[in-house]
Amino acid sequence: MSLVKKFATVGGATLGSRIFGFARETLMAAALGTGPMADVFYAAFRFPNLFRRLFAEGAFNAAFVPLFAKEIEANGTDGAKRFSEEVFGVLFSVLLLITIVMELAMPLLVRFVIAPGFADDPDKFSITIRMAAVMFPYLMCMSLTAMMSGMLNSLHHFFAAAIAPVFLNVVMIGALFYALHTGADPLTTAWYLSFGVLAAGVLQLAVVYVGVLAAGMSIGFRFPKMTPNVKRLLILAVPAAVTGGITQINQLIGQAIASSREGAIAALQYADRIYQLPLGVVGVAVGVVLLPELARALKGGNLREAGNLQNRSIEFVLFLTIPAAFALWILSDEIIRVLYERGAFHQENTAVVGSILAIYGIGLPAFVLIKALQPGFYAREDTKTPMRFSAIAVATNCATALTLFPYMGAPGIAVAEATAGWISTVLLFTTLLRRGHLTWEWALAKRTVLLIVAAAVMGAAIVFLKQHFAPSLASGAPVLTKVGTLGLLIAIAMLVYFAAAFLIGGANLGMIRRNLNRKPAPAKDPQG
């Protein structure tokens, strides 16, 4: 199966999850708006959700997949099964201990980490503590889910792991429908959602476990023991968790700063959901698929093949994210208006969330490129170098957010996150290039410039058409009219971009064929 077809398998399943996520956020905007209960729920959910993204979107896989692949190659399926059971025993025990400690320390976590700004409001502070305590076991479920997802990805069974997140959104949508149907108040709605998160974690774990069984593997519980393989995994996993979660760590910092202003946390979350669509569909798909592919090529000594895989992934990312960045910048208000502006979500909310989304658009290519560049380190079992770069990015984000928030509000936090993303991307790219793990291609550099030109042409077309369609996209227009008009505008923009990209040479049939029909290198690289 080609690289792009594997991207499509994971990306397609992730797209389904993101579509359900949009439905969930639309219902939440209608039910909670950007009011105090929205802030409370999102603040309480951010902490366990941080770990979901850390583990489920590649950080645990960064350490687990290369070692699991090595076990399969060295000791076959039996060795890989033994290694998985050793890891499961230690992971389950550690997670259980962490969960107990965190539950007991939740008041301190909320006061100093999750939402320091709530400390002055006893009601918000108390509710946040209780909701975070209900949702925190989600971490345990998702960490075990991530381990089994790593097994499935290593065995080239991508779909079950990619589809599992859909169930979180399905359960939460069910809770929201029930709340709206019964006329529940915001506090009751937030409680329904909190218990829905916990139930969804158990369901996702069950889905991937069935997938592992279907792939011909099984996992039994072993008494936790620090074997050499488990020690190696932990040495790799801790830096990888920090590095893989750079975007989420920056968001957690932003949330802590934003908690001092009512509505800011919810505004950041609503904008985050939009840009998570291209980030999830492209970035997560590339990260999940590329790591085992690179590990396989390097274990086989095919260094040329590994370099080609890395460059084709970058090419694929740029081809899709550059136009998405332009579109998010220009259409931010219209997108927010169509998706969220109803019920408790007003025009004033649209202006704030739209400005945040536009800034996230600028950072989108960086956020996705990080997913394509990190596997170049992880496949070589180097997780410390990206961690150092993450530390620089986090420091930059924190300093920038603290500087800009008093003047710009929530958009200042978005500026800080986008800046940190680009700094991390530049550091990862230049280091891979300097070490010879990434091959500079002038043809790829030229195509990148031409893709920017094509996206600018598309942007000009969007600006012109947006003025023409303004009455149909206005706040007072019927919902179906706004949805249809926005869909038409996006479809025209895509046609303009692809036509311009192919006409000026930013993309060509040869590029498409390279990605669709990529085959492994026939022999080992002489340097290997």
Side-chain angles (χ1 to χ4, degrees):
M1 186 186 290
S2 73
L3 196 62
V4 165
K5 289 177 182 176
K6 290 174 181 176
F7 289 162
T9 299
V10 178
T14 307
L15 175 61
S17 175
R18 293 300 192 259
I19 290 172
F20 278 105
F22 277 134
R24 180 190 91 195
E25 295 298 328
T26 300
L27 289 170
M28 288 191 69
L32 302 177
T34 58
M37 281 306 104
D39 276 352
V40 166
F41 173 77
Y42 281 126
F45 185 42
R46 174 72 76 181
F47 204 57
N49 199 40
L50 164 68
F51 288 97
R52 176 184 72 84
R53 290 181 176 176
L54 282 176
F55 287 95
E57 295 184 359
F60 185 85
N61 287 349
F64 182 78
V65 168
L67 296 179
F68 187 82
K70 188 185 293 184
E71 277 297 316
I72 290 178
E73 184 177 336
N75 302 308
T77 304
D78 290 340
K81 180 177 181 297
R82 183 175 61 252
F83 171 59
S84 299
E85 290 178 344
E86 291 172 353
V87 172
F88 184 86
V90 172
L91 188 60
F92 181 88
S93 304
V94 170
L95 288 169
L96 183 60
L97 181 61
I98 289 175
T99 300
I100 293 171
V101 171
M102 291 294 186
E103 293 284 1
L104 294 173
M106 196 59 69
L108 294 175
L109 288 172
V110 172
R111 182 178 293 276
F112 296 109
V113 179
I114 297 175
F118 290 1
D120 296 330
D121 187 329
D123 289 338
K124 287 177 73 172
F125 183 69
S126 174
I127 296 167
T128 304
I129 291 171
R130 285 182 284 149
M131 286 187 181
V134 168
M135 289 187 278
F136 195 81
Y138 182 69
L139 158 65
M140 187 167 187
C141 294
M142 292 315 302
S143 300
L144 297 174
T145 296
M147 178 198 152
M148 295 184 197
S149 297
M151 294 172 63
L152 289 169
N153 294 335
S154 298
L155 296 167
H156 301 288
H157 290 258
F158 296 105
F159 186 74
I163 202 68
V166 171
F167 293 94
L168 171 66
N169 292 321
V170 169
V171 172
M172 293 181 74
I173 287 171
L176 283 164
F177 266 124
Y178 182 75
L180 291 169
H181 175 70
T182 58
D185 59 66
L187 176 58
T188 305
T189 300
W191 276 114
Y192 289 159
L193 290 168
S194 299
F195 283 103
V197 168
L198 181 59
V202 176
L203 185 57
Q204 287 175 262
L205 180 57
V207 168
V208 293
Y209 182 69
V210 171
V212 168
L213 293 177
M217 295 282 285
S218 63
I219 302 178
F221 184 82
R222 291 188 177 217
F223 188 79
K225 185 179 180 182
M226 294 298 292
T227 64
N229 273 335
V230 171
K231 289 179 183 177
R232 179 63 178 160
L233 175 71
L234 293 176
I235 290 171
L236 294 174
V238 173
V242 174
T243 306
I246 177 63
T247 302
Q248 287 71 46
I249 291 168
N250 284 332
Q251 287 175 344
L252 187 64
I253 292 170
Q255 173 184 289
I257 296 170
S259 65
S260 62
R261 189 172 299 185
E262 186 168 311
I265 292 177
L268 288 165
Q269 173 64 28
Y270 289 133
D272 174 74
R273 170 54 58 182
I274 307 297
Y275 96 87
Q276 283 293 329
L277 177 64
L279 176 59
V281 173
V282 182
V284 175
V286 168
V288 166
V289 173
L290 183 58
L291 178 57
E293 291 288 304
L294 274 178
R296 176 195 56 77
L298 291 170
K299 291 293 185 294
N302 296 318
L303 302 185
R304 190 175 294 112
E305 169 71 357
N308 184 57
L309 281 167
Q310 191 91 61
N311 281 353
R312 298 292 68 78
S313 298
I314 293 172
E315 186 174 60
F316 178 77
V317 164
L318 293 173
F319 182 59
L320 295 180
T321 59
I322 290 174
F326 274 77
L328 288 178
W329 174 263
I330 299 169
L331 286 173
S332 56
D333 282 358
E334 288 72 20
I335 292 171
I336 298 300
R337 187 176 300 123
V338 170
L339 291 176
Y340 296 140
E341 196 177 287
R342 59 188 59 83
F345 197 100
H346 307 297
Q347 291 184 40
E348 295 79 9
N349 304 133
T350 296
V352 174
V353 179
S355 64
I356 296 170
L357 179 60
I359 295 164
Y360 276 153
I362 296 174
L364 176 64
F367 298 143
V368 182
L369 279 169
I370 287 171
K371 303 287 187 182
L373 294 170
Q374 285 175 345
F377 296 89
Y378 296 155
R380 295 173 172 87
E381 298 185 19
D382 176 10
T383 57
K384 289 184 179 179
T385 301
M387 184 182 70
R388 295 188 191 103
F389 297 157
S390 295
I392 295 171
V394 167
T396 302
N397 173 64
C398 191
T400 308
L402 286 170
T403 302
L404 296 180
F405 184 70
Y407 304 100
M408 298 177 64
I413 292 175
V415 171
E417 291 178 15
T419 302
W422 277 110
I423 287 174
S424 186
T425 298
V426 169
L427 290 171
L428 290 168
F429 180 83
T430 54
T431 302
L432 284 173
L433 203 62
R434 181 172 52 81
R435 292 180 178 180
H437 297 160
L438 188 66
T439 304
W440 178 265
E441 293 183 0
W442 282 108
L444 177 56
K446 178 184 176 182
R447 282 195 296 275
T448 301
V449 174
L450 294 174
L451 288 176
I452 294 172
V453 173
V457 172
M458 178 201 74
I462 293 176
V463 171
F464 174 77
L465 291 171
K466 192 169 75 165
Q467 295 173 345
H468 180 71
F469 292 144
S472 299
L473 291 168
S475 296
V479 174
L480 290 179
T481 300
K482 287 189 287 190
V483 171
T485 304
L486 182 61
L488 177 62
L489 190 54
I490 292 172
I492 294 172
M494 290 172 62
L495 288 174
V496 170
Y497 169 71
F498 288 124
F502 277 90
L503 282 173
I504 66 177
N508 54 57
L509 292 176
M511 183 190 86
I512 302 298
R513 281 195 296 268
R514 278 197 306 276
N515 284 284
L516 287 175
N517 300 317
R518 181 199 60 78
K519 295 179 180 179
K524 288 188 177 184
D525 193 293
Q527 298 177 40

